[in-house]
Amino acid sequence: MSTDLPPVSILGAGRVGANLARAFAERGHAVTVGHRTPSTGALAWQGPPVRHATLAEAAAASPVVFHATPGHTALDLLTSLRVPLRDKVLVDVSNATVRQPNGAPGDLLYPDGSLAQRLQAALPETRVVKALNTMFFSVMTAPRSLATPAQAFLSAEDPAAKAQVRALLASLGWPDEWILDLSGIASARATEAMILMAPHIVAAKGFKPFALTVASTAGA
C-alpha cells in the first residue's frame, strides 16, 4: 500500500459506502469503514482489506471523511460525531429526502436549504464539501463507465478542502475537467434538489447507472 496516498474514512457500509471503500482500498489508500456494528460489518465484508470500526472511530481516523449514510437521518448522526469530526474535511455524498413507503426518495427534507448547509452550520469546526450526490452510486468510482462524460459538482466554503476532494476524486478516475466547482456551500441546495429527478429517470430508463451533467460547447 502506498504511503503517499492519504487515508480515507467512510461512514456507512451500504451500497454507496461499500463501493467507495472498495474503490479507495483498491487504489492503495488506507481505508477505515465506520459501522454501527463493526464486528458484524467485518464478517460481512467482501473486498480488499480495510479497517472496520465504530462510526466515531472512523470519523477520527482520517483527515477526509466520506459520509455515506441515509440523508434523512444524517444531521442527527453527524452532529453526534462533532468531536471526532473536528478539523476534518467531511465529504457529504447523500441527499436528504422524505422517504416514500417503497424507500424511493420523495420530497426534499430541507426544501428551504440543503443538508450540506445544515451540516456546515451544525459543525462549524468541520469543513463540509458536497460532492458525488448527483449520480448512481457505481458512477462515483467509475466515471468513465457511461456513454456520456459524467460530471462531479463541488460545493464548499473552503478552497483547500475542495482541493483535497479534487485529489481524491482524481484517485477514483475523475478527470479534472469533469469536476465543476459551484462555489459556496449554498450551491448544494441546487445539486441536492436534483435527486427529485432520480425516480423519474429510473422509471424512464430502468435501474441502471446514470449521472446528471452539464453539456457545453466544445472546448468550453
Side-chain angles (χ1 to χ4, degrees):
M1 182 174 296
S2 172
T3 57
D4 296 330
L5 296 172
V8 177
S9 288
I10 314 292
L11 303 182
R15 290 183 304 183
V16 176
N19 180 55
L20 287 167
R22 217 173 266 117
F24 278 121
E26 287 172 350
R27 287 157 177 80
H29 295 263
V31 177
T32 302
V33 181
H35 305 257
R36 294 185 187 278
T37 53
S39 57
T40 302
L43 289 173
W45 176 257
Q46 295 181 348
V50 300
R51 177 191 174 207
H52 297 272
T54 65
L55 292 166
E57 289 168 339
S62 306
V64 180
V65 180
F66 281 76
H67 167 243
T69 74
H72 65 290
T73 56
L75 187 58
D76 287 343
L77 171 65
L78 294 173
T79 300
S80 75
L81 300 174
R82 179 183 290 105
V83 173
L85 285 173
R86 185 176 295 150
D87 298 324
K88 305 299 176 70
V89 174
L90 176 66
V91 186
D92 180 34
V93 307
S94 70
N95 291 294
T97 63
V98 178
R99 291 301 181 97
Q100 298 184 50
N102 64 357
D107 291 334
L108 297 175
L109 189 58
Y110 307 114
D112 58 340
S114 67
L115 172 60
Q117 289 172 282
R118 300 240 177 167
L119 290 173
Q120 188 61 87
L123 303 168
E125 296 177 285
T126 300
R127 294 173 292 162
V128 178
V129 179
K130 193 76 181 188
L132 301 179
N133 63 308
T134 56
M135 62 196 70
F136 195 80
F137 73 94
S138 65
V139 181
M140 296 177 181
T141 59
R144 296 183 183 274
S145 61
L146 302 180
T148 302
Q151 194 132 46
F153 303 103
L154 298 182
S155 301
E157 297 300 323
D158 190 285
K162 283 191 277 194
Q164 287 178 268
V165 175
R166 272 186 180 272
L168 287 170
L169 294 185
S171 184
L172 294 178
W174 283 89
D176 192 65
E177 62 270 21
W178 291 10
I179 303 170
L180 183 59
D181 185 345
L182 297 181
S183 193
I185 200 70
S187 62
R189 181 177 183 181
T191 62
E192 288 188 27
M194 290 182 184
I195 188 61
L196 298 180
M197 292 182 65
H200 305 292
I201 293 172
V202 171
K205 299 187 69 72
F207 193 74
K208 55 187 178 181
F210 69 90
L212 299 178
T213 189
V214 174
S216 57
T217 56

